[in-house]
Amino acid sequence: KAGVTQTPRYLIKTRGQQVTLSCSPISGHRSVSWYQQTPGQGLQFLFEYFSETQRNKGNFPGRFSGRQFSNSRSEMNVSTLELGDSALYLCASSLLIDNYNEQFFGPGTRLTVL
Amino acid sequence: LAKTTQPISMDSYEGQEVNITCSHNNIATNDYITWYQQFPSQGPRFIIQGYKTKVTNEVASLFIPADRKSSTLSLPRVSLSDTAVYYCLVGPSSNTGKLIFGQGTTLQVKP
């Protein structure tokens, strides 16, 4: 079974631009979560989508948004990029079986904002 | 969500058993304890999850005392490839895709 895939793997943008990152979950997984990882703040939860609905949200400004499609694929968008948005963006999918929650992470998208 | 405390770093040698302890004094009744491993520039990888007593899989063992205020991840006979960051997470297991990561423990395995 294919793992979680993320595209693109690397991205360079300039301040003020916007960016869209894509995540394809493992087949059959309906939950998709996004995380931001930086050396200073570590791994931080952005948001989770389940059945095309945002179910959980972390403490990030409204510039960070996302959506999920009917095939469970998800996109994350960051508008008006700032230097501090440079990070590794990770996507994870899971089955959410009761009493067992294993999240499968993709390789991430490395975003650099100049 | 319960806050976790774990050592920032640990050193070990190849072939040794490594035990990483995580403290979670405010764990709730419906919280599970989960450990993830992360290599540089990769996404975290699930290692093991447990609720109480002991859980073992092909990679590691997880020991949880009766009061559940701490847990210990045990890695038998580590190798150089086990050098990574290990995260202890505490939270509800089902119906949530939200994981709260702490600072993690950087394990350095030496030859």
Side-chain angles (χ1 to χ4, degrees), chain B residues 72-88:
Chain B
T72 299
L73 174 72
S74 181
L75 304 172
R77 298 179 299 281
V78 294
S79 64
L80 295 177
S81 63
D82 292 316
T83 294
V85 179
Y86 292 82
Y87 294 96
C88 165

Side-chain angles (χ1 to χ4, degrees), chain B residues 4-5 26 31 34-36 41 44 46 49 53 66 73 78 97:
Chain B
T4 59
T5 302
N26 297 323
D31 283 345
T34 311
W35 286 79
Y36 280 79
S41 298
F46 175 97
Q49 184 179 75
T53 62
L73 174 72
V78 294

Side-chain angles (χ1 to χ4, degrees), chain A residues 5 10 12 29 47 69 95 101 103 110:
Chain A
T5 58
Y10 301 91
I12 299 176
H29 288 193
F47 30 65
F69 302 95
L95 269 176
N101 182 8
Q103 290 205 7
R110 173 75 62 183

Side-chain angles (χ1 to χ4, degrees), chain A residues 33 35 37 99-101 103, chain B residues 32 36 38 44 93 96-97 99:
Chain A
S33 300
Y35 298 83
Q37 185 168 29
N99 299 328
Y100 183 77
N101 182 8
Q103 290 205 7
Chain B
Y32 280 69
Y36 280 79
Q38 186 179 26
S93 175
T96 178
L99 296 179

Side-chain angles (χ1 to χ4, degrees), chain A residues 28-46:
Chain A
H29 288 193
R30 294 165 64 191
S31 169
V32 174
S33 300
W34 288 89
Y35 298 83
Q36 180 197 65
Q37 185 168 29
T38 60
Q41 299 297 318
L43 262 165
Q44 293 185 285
F45 172 79
L46 279 157

Side-chain angles (χ1 to χ4, degrees), chain A residues 9-80:
Chain A
R9 292 293 311 279
Y10 301 91
L11 207 47
I12 299 176
K13 293 284 188 179
T14 56
R15 280 180 298 174
Q17 287 188 310
Q18 76 163 18
V19 66
T20 299
L21 312 181
S22 181
C23 171
S24 292
I26 291 173
S27 178
H29 288 193
R30 294 165 64 191
S31 169
V32 174
S33 300
W34 288 89
Y35 298 83
Q36 180 197 65
Q37 185 168 29
T38 60
Q41 299 297 318
L43 262 165
Q44 293 185 285
F45 172 79
L46 279 157
F47 30 65
E48 178 208 4
Y49 285 86
F50 183 83
S51 294
E52 303 179 63
T53 301
Q54 187 181 87
R55 189 160 64 171
N56 285 295
K57 190 177 190 305
N59 295 323
F60 280 81
R63 299 185 298 107
F64 292 82
S65 63
R67 60 177 175 168
Q68 186 180 34
F69 302 95
S70 58
N71 62 358
S72 292
R73 189 177 71 84
S74 177
E75 286 182 348
M76 188 193 101
N77 185 76
V78 187
S79 63
T80 321

